[in-house]
Amino acid sequence: MITPDSIPNVTDERLCWLVLRDELRKRSSKLGMFGWISVFTSRGAAGAEIGADERRERLSEKMTYYSIAVDASAQTLSPDERRHLRTTAQVPEWFRPDVQRRYEEIRKRR
């Protein structure tokens, strides 16, 4: 977790990602209907391993989409919002919904 006392010397886009990464990982790792189906239908160790591999692959794909969305949203930050980000390690109120909107758009295109 990034705090105002531990803000690394990285780009604003990267800082936005570091601020949101853990939250987005939790959101991405929630099992959807397909995830629960794969958990219940896997038989034995081999089936469980295949199901786990599929879940990891989906998590990685979701996090990639989120990283693209965060980067795109961060590029629209105003100079004042960038200063606020740099001093508080917090993104503006509009940022999370904008990232989610962009994430959904990316998923629809893929």
Side-chain angles (χ1 to χ4, degrees):
M1 182 173 162
I2 303 294
T3 64
D5 297 330
S6 67
I7 296 175
N9 186 21
V10 295
T11 65
D12 293 342
E13 291 79 10
R14 178 71 174 156
L15 182 55
C16 288
W17 173 251
L18 294 173
V19 168
L20 295 178
R21 180 183 53 194
D22 292 342
E23 174 184 332
L24 297 176
R25 183 176 292 128
K26 285 179 188 175
R27 189 179 302 172
S28 294
S29 64
K30 290 182 181 178
L31 289 178
M33 182 179 69
F34 181 74
W36 284 110
I37 290 171
S38 68
V39 168
F40 290 124
T41 60
S42 57
R43 302 269 188 236
E49 187 175 317
I50 291 169
D53 288 344
E54 289 175 7
R55 286 189 298 278
R56 278 190 293 274
E57 190 173 307
R58 279 196 307 279
L59 174 61
S60 176
E61 184 176 88
K62 288 177 181 180
M63 290 301 287
T64 298
Y65 295 164
Y66 270 123
S67 71
I68 294 167
V70 168
D71 188 64
S73 294
Q75 291 177 23
T76 67
L77 291 170
S78 71
D80 287 340
E81 290 167 331
R82 289 175 185 274
R83 275 191 292 281
H84 180 74
L85 171 68
R86 288 271 163 207
T87 57
T88 66
Q90 295 179 350
V91 294
E93 289 294 319
W94 60 266
F95 196 84
R96 283 177 175 83
D98 191 60
V99 167
Q100 189 62 38
R101 178 187 61 78
R102 290 173 190 267
Y103 168 80
E104 296 297 333
E105 288 174 0
I106 293 166
R107 282 190 60 199
K108 287 178 186 175
R109 283 185 270 157
R110 306 279 171 160

